[in-house]
Structures are given as structure tokens and as C-alpha cells.
Amino acid sequence: MEQAIGVIDSGVGGLTVAHELMRQLPKERLIYLGDTARCPYGPRSKNEVQKFTWEMVRFLLKKNIKMLVIACNTATAFTLKELQDNLDIPVIGVIQPGARAALKFTKNNHIGVIGTEGTIRSKAYTTALKNINSTIHVNALACPLFVPLIEQGGATGEQALKVVEDTLSPMKKNNHIDTLILGCTHYPLMKDTIQSSIGKHVTIISSSEETARETSAILDIHNLLNSEGEIPKHQFFTTGELTIFRKISKSIFKNSNLHTVSIEKAAIN
Amino acid sequence: MEQAIGVIDSGVGGLTVAHELMRQLPKERLIYLGDTARCPYGPRSKNEVQKFTWEMVRFLLKKNIKMLVIACNTATAFTLKELQDNLDIPVIGVIQPGARAALKFTKNNHIGVIGTEGTIRSKAYTTALKNINSTIHVNALACPLFVPLIEQGGATGEQALKVVEDTLSPMKKNNHIDTLILGCTHYPLMKDTIQSSIGKHVTIISSSEETARETSAILDIHNLLNSEGEIPKHQFFTTGELTIFRKISKSIFKNSNLHTVSIEKAAIN
């Protein structure tokens, strides 16, 4: 199946999902659309997020994608069910794969979740976890400074560690968690800093890695895996500034796969 | 969906998958069938394995299962595709989930696989891995002594470590693997011994844990998860001796969940 996998995000965070898809599924072609011009989605109303998400989906459906990955936590929380019910192709979000991985890793049933204010307020992870196991203890914490810090290129170093230490301190008090879900697709970019703050005894779950892995499973059960050997040419689109999008792409991909990617501007509304 | 998940295995190895299903999906009810009387399937012909597997499947279909888990590597290798094509319910095997997890964990693209002689000879893991990423290096090794050792209750201790050390020595020579798949549902019972022999730098993938996790994903996308809160009563069936099956069940479940399980004898052919 040489058709591409479609990936949508409110901006650049979903590029960590794209990066993992390219690493775990090197024969698959991606078409990525980041709505950078209207990012962030977090503070927007449900109606607005649904409207914007459908605009992105329509853009990708015209490109004949075989599967859709919603690489944005807010869009997943507000549109996953609706898109699954209305599209003829498989649709996956970023919340459930992270929740399922955490349920696999935890030994003491105490799971931490960090994300943007919108994601934490939506209780989407708590719902996903407790829907499967109602005895799970969830410790959820909003980390509003992480995304701006990452977007400014400050994911590592002493300043980052200080921000992370301060933000995570309520979670570390009386902390029983043995598993922590990075409930925002930006956070894998500061995973090392988060790990050194929360401690080595905590298993960190990257929703980006887990979403890529479940995309592989879903393509397989739908007989949609690409069996061709050729390395595909990916297309990344942004609704915003090309220069910034290119710069952040470079920092995420560290140039490893970027020669196989074309980056273009898209008008979707 | 209060219907049960059906789990089949050539004998008792699949109980590690059942154990993980009960841990990761505590609201789901299981009906397990182990064909202990005709175990092992490893040395049997493809035709025979297909015939036996269909007999197990028909037994479970009469019990109105909502999904089928083939918790046996040999049966997966020989019947997965056929069962997926012919049944109206989702079907999952144990090989692909382990392969996908390994592709997620490996950083250096060198993956080891250990299994029974039949599984290694079938090259099912190598095919599953290379089908997704043709640049992966696979180091596959048959470990014919592990299952008999485990069945005799010798999964830990000095004798076990000696057998494991001797068996794994060809894999440890010029060893570049950073990820090792336990390609047999018995092997999680000696995971600690294998880890201490292969070294802490190698991530060990349990196909039992990974299959349970993908079962969760598949139930979710098919809207088949059980949302009821009640702890279910599981039914385990064996075609062989009840006493031995009970004893091994106890050693796997360490009595933790066994009060929710009834164990009965089944005639299926």
C-alpha cells in the first residue's frame, strides 16, 4: 500500500510522532500537516478545535491517505471518536496508546501524567486509564511552561532543569508513581531533563513512540503496511511560517531523515 | 461488551499471556483453552497444527467470544492469516506484537530472538521484523532446553542459569544486540535468569506483555472494551491432565488472580 499515512497536529509537537513513525516504519510515506498559524489549540473551545481539525482532515483526505494519526492531545480529546465514526480509514490519537503503555509498565498502579493545561483539564488520560482499570491511581499535573520553553530551544541545560524541578515538585511530594506519561507531543524533546528530575525509578512513557508503535499494529491488522523497499519521500505542510517550521524540524530530526522530506506551506481554510 | 476474549495455546505457555491480559485488562473476561494433551505443537506439520488450531477455535466460537488471541508462536506462524481471513472477530497472534515492540525499543537495529526450534526454523520473527524494516539485523537462536526446564519447575536457580548461559553463548559472542525478544510464551517465567545472562544493557521484550497490550488497542478500536466494573469470572480449559494444568497455573499466577478462575477439562476433537 503505497498510499501515505496522514499526520495532523496543531503545530510542531506532532513532528516527534512523525519522527518516530519514520524510525519505526521506514517503508511508510508520511504527509504531515501542522496548523502552526492557529497554534496552540489548548486554550480554544471544543467547537473551534473540531472545526480546525476537520479542515486539516479534509486537506489530507484529498491526498488519498490510508490512515490518519491525530498527533495532538487536544485534537485527540475533542475529535477522535467523531473522526473514527465518520472516516472510512483507520484513525488513531495520541492519548490511548500512551495510556495502554503505562498500564503495561506500571507495577504499583500509580501513574503520573503531565501535559498542557488543556489536556490535563480535559481529564482525557485519567478517563482512558480508568476506563480500562478503575483501580489505577492517577497523578495528573499541568506543565504550562514546558511548551514555550521547548519552542524557544531551551529543552536542555540548567534553566530547563530548574523549570522542570519547580513544575514537577508537587508530583514528587508523596510520590508513589512508578510510571509517567508525557501527555504532550512536545515533551519527548525534554525527556532527559524530565527523567533526571523525576528519578530513574520512574518509567517514562512517550506518547509519540507509543502512537507510532500502535500505528504499525493498526496498519498490520488492516493489511495496509507498505511492502515496497524504496525509501519514501515525505511531505510536510505548515499553515504558518516556513522558516520557523524548518528550524524546529531540524532540531527534532537532527538532520537524520530530513533529506527525504519536502516542507511546503499550505492554505486550508 | 461482556463477551469474553478467547485465548488458545498448545498448552500452558499461553497462560503468561492470560496473566498479562488479566493484569492489563482487569475488566475483561477470558476463556482460555490449552491443548495440553497434544502439546508441543513445535515439531508438528503445518497441516496438523492448522487442524488442531481450528478445533480449538471452533470450541471457543461456540462460547461467543468477541476476539481471539493465539497465544502460541507455532500456531501464530501457521494459522494467523487464515484465521484473520475467515473469522468475523478480530484475531491477534503473539509474533507481530513482540516484533513491533522490539522495533520501538532498538536504538542500534540489532535485535535478538530466542524461541523453540520450530519457531526459529519458521523464521516468523525475522520475516515480521524485516517486513517492516529491511535494514534490521536479526540474531535468532533456538533454545530447545528452556521449555522442558520450565515445565519441570526449574526456571530459576543455579542449574537454570547454567543452561541459559550455555544456550545463549553463541548469541553473546560478537553480540551487538540491544533488544532481545522472548519468542516463546514460556520464557517470561525465566526472564530474570535470561536478563542476568544476556546483560542489563539489553532490553528484553516479552511477547506475552506486548500481545496483551495490543489486544487492548484492538478491542478499543473495535469498540469492544468492557466498560462494566465487575471483576469477571474466567474459564480455563485444558485437553490434558487437570492436576498438572492446575499446578502450572498456580506457579504462573502465584495465586494472585486464581480465585477468579475455574479450571475444567475439555474434549475438542
Side-chain angles (χ1 to χ4, degrees):
Chain A
M1 285 296 263
E2 287 181 48
Q3 285 167 273
I5 300 167
V7 183
I8 55 174
D9 181 48
S10 61
V12 296
L15 290 171
T16 61
V17 180
H19 187 228
E20 275 301 313
L21 285 166
M22 285 157 69
R23 189 179 75 80
Q24 294 182 39
L25 289 165
K27 295 181 187 174
E28 298 297 331
R29 187 162 66 86
L30 302 187
I31 305 180
Y32 180 97
L33 173 58
D35 194 7
T36 327
R38 299 186 289 194
C39 184
Y41 280 12
R44 293 184 188 273
S45 70
K46 184 174 176 179
N47 274 350
E48 209 170 25
V49 171
Q50 286 175 325
K51 180 175 172 288
F52 292 177
T53 305
W54 270 107
E55 284 172 1
M56 289 202 279
V57 170
R58 278 188 211 104
F59 177 88
L60 289 183
L61 287 178
K62 282 184 201 144
K63 300 194 177 297
N64 195 26
I65 53 171
K66 62 182 174 182
M67 178 170 174
L68 176 68
V69 179
I70 312 171
C72 167
N73 280 275
T74 314
T76 299
F78 290 154
T79 69
L80 175 66
K81 184 77 182 58
E82 189 182 322
L83 290 169
Q84 283 176 332
D85 288 346
N86 284 285
L87 301 191
D88 293 331
I89 54 174
V91 182
I92 189 178
V94 276
I95 292 175
Q96 289 71 18
R100 280 189 279 270
L103 290 169
K104 194 199 83 178
F105 276 105
T106 186
K107 300 292 174 206
N108 72 3
N109 283 2
H110 286 258
I111 295 174
V113 183
I114 54 177
T116 64
E117 283 172 304
T119 301
I120 298 304
R121 206 174 42 235
S122 80
K123 294 192 166 45
Y125 278 96
T126 306
T127 308
L129 290 164
K130 287 191 173 277
N131 194 27
I132 297 174
N133 184 346
S134 39
T135 69
I136 289 287
H137 302 270
V138 183
N139 190 342
L141 183 70
C143 305
L145 291 179
F146 288 9
V147 170
L149 196 71
I150 293 165
E151 293 267 352
Q152 287 157 35
T156 53
E158 272 182 40
Q159 193 210 345
L161 187 59
K162 177 81 177 66
V163 171
V164 171
E165 289 275 6
D166 288 351
T167 311
L168 296 186
S169 66
M171 184 172 267
K172 287 160 75 178
K173 263 183 224 163
N174 306 314
N175 172 17
H176 300 297
I177 63 163
D178 67 356
T179 309
L180 176 65
I181 301 174
L182 305 183
C184 170
T185 48
H186 278 79
Y187 296 179
L189 298 170
M190 57 195 310
K191 185 180 173 184
D192 292 346
T193 311
I194 294 168
Q195 183 84 69
S196 86
S197 170
I198 199 78
K200 276 189 181 171
H201 63 289
V202 176
T203 302
I204 290 184
I205 306 290
S206 150
S207 53
S208 306
E209 286 179 22
E210 303 304 333
T211 302
R213 187 250 168 112
E214 289 203 4
T215 300
S216 177
I218 290 171
L219 288 176
D220 185 10
I221 59 167
H222 286 90
N223 256 324
L224 291 171
L225 280 168
N226 181 21
S227 54
E228 304 299 315
E230 223 170 303
I231 296 171
K233 185 86 183 166
H234 311 283
Q235 287 175 288
F236 287 7
F237 294 94
T238 171
T239 59
E241 284 301 321
L242 273 178
T243 330
I244 299 169
F245 192 87
R246 273 211 188 91
K247 195 181 153 197
I248 298 175
S249 299
K250 272 189 192 171
S251 81
I252 290 175
F253 288 88
K254 297 191 184 74
N255 291 321
S256 59
N257 298 94
L258 267 190
H259 62 281
T260 63
V261 176
S262 74
I263 298 178
E264 294 161 65
K265 183 135 177 151
I268 64 168
N269 62 332
Chain B
M1 284 298 258
E2 287 180 48
Q3 286 166 271
I5 300 167
V7 184
I8 55 174
D9 181 49
S10 61
V12 297
L15 290 172
T16 61
V17 180
H19 187 228
E20 276 301 314
L21 285 167
M22 285 158 68
R23 190 180 73 82
Q24 294 182 40
L25 290 165
K27 295 182 187 175
E28 297 298 332
R29 188 162 65 87
L30 303 186
I31 304 179
Y32 180 96
L33 174 59
D35 194 8
T36 327
R38 299 185 289 194
C39 184
Y41 280 13
R44 296 184 186 273
S45 71
K46 185 175 175 176
N47 275 350
E48 208 169 24
V49 171
Q50 285 175 325
K51 180 175 171 288
F52 291 178
T53 305
W54 270 107
E55 284 172 359
M56 288 201 280
V57 170
R58 278 188 213 106
F59 177 87
L60 289 183
L61 287 178
K62 282 184 202 145
K63 301 194 176 294
N64 194 28
I65 54 169
K66 63 181 173 183
M67 178 170 175
L68 177 68
V69 179
I70 313 171
C72 166
N73 279 276
T74 314
T76 299
F78 289 154
T79 69
L80 175 65
K81 186 77 181 63
E82 189 181 322
L83 289 170
Q84 284 177 332
D85 288 347
N86 284 286
L87 301 192
D88 293 330
I89 54 173
V91 182
I92 189 177
V94 276
I95 292 174
Q96 289 72 16
R100 281 189 279 270
L103 290 169
K104 194 199 83 177
F105 277 104
T106 185
K107 300 291 174 206
N108 71 4
N109 283 2
H110 287 257
I111 295 173
V113 183
I114 55 177
T116 63
E117 281 172 305
T119 302
I120 298 304
R121 205 173 44 233
S122 80
K123 292 193 167 48
Y125 278 97
T126 306
T127 307
L129 290 163
K130 287 191 174 279
N131 194 28
I132 297 174
N133 184 345
S134 39
T135 69
I136 290 286
H137 303 269
V138 184
N139 191 341
L141 183 69
C143 305
L145 291 180
F146 288 9
V147 171
L149 197 70
I150 292 166
E151 294 266 352
Q152 287 157 35
T156 54
E158 271 181 41
Q159 192 210 347
L161 187 59
K162 177 83 176 66
V163 170
V164 171
E165 288 276 5
D166 288 353
T167 310
L168 296 186
S169 67
M171 184 172 269
K172 288 161 74 179
K173 262 184 224 161
N174 306 314
N175 172 17
H176 299 298
I177 63 161
D178 67 356
T179 308
L180 175 65
I181 301 173
L182 305 184
C184 170
T185 47
H186 277 79
Y187 295 0
L189 298 171
M190 58 197 307
K191 185 179 173 185
D192 293 346
T193 312
I194 293 168
Q195 183 83 69
S196 88
S197 169
I198 199 79
K200 276 189 181 174
H201 63 289
V202 176
T203 303
I204 291 185
I205 307 289
S206 149
S207 52
S208 306
E209 287 179 21
E210 303 304 334
T211 302
R213 185 247 168 109
E214 289 203 4
T215 301
S216 177
I218 291 171
L219 288 177
D220 185 11
I221 59 167
H222 285 91
N223 257 325
L224 292 171
L225 280 169
N226 181 22
S227 54
E228 303 300 316
E230 226 170 301
I231 296 169
K233 185 84 185 168
H234 311 284
Q235 288 175 286
F236 287 7
F237 294 93
T238 171
T239 59
E241 284 302 321
L242 273 178
T243 329
I244 298 169
F245 192 87
R246 273 213 189 91
K247 193 180 152 196
I248 299 175
S249 299
K250 272 190 191 171
S251 82
I252 290 175
F253 288 87
K254 296 189 185 77
N255 291 322
S256 60
N257 297 95
L258 267 190
H259 62 282
T260 63
V261 176
S262 72
I263 297 178
E264 296 161 62
K265 185 136 176 150
I268 64 169
N269 63 331

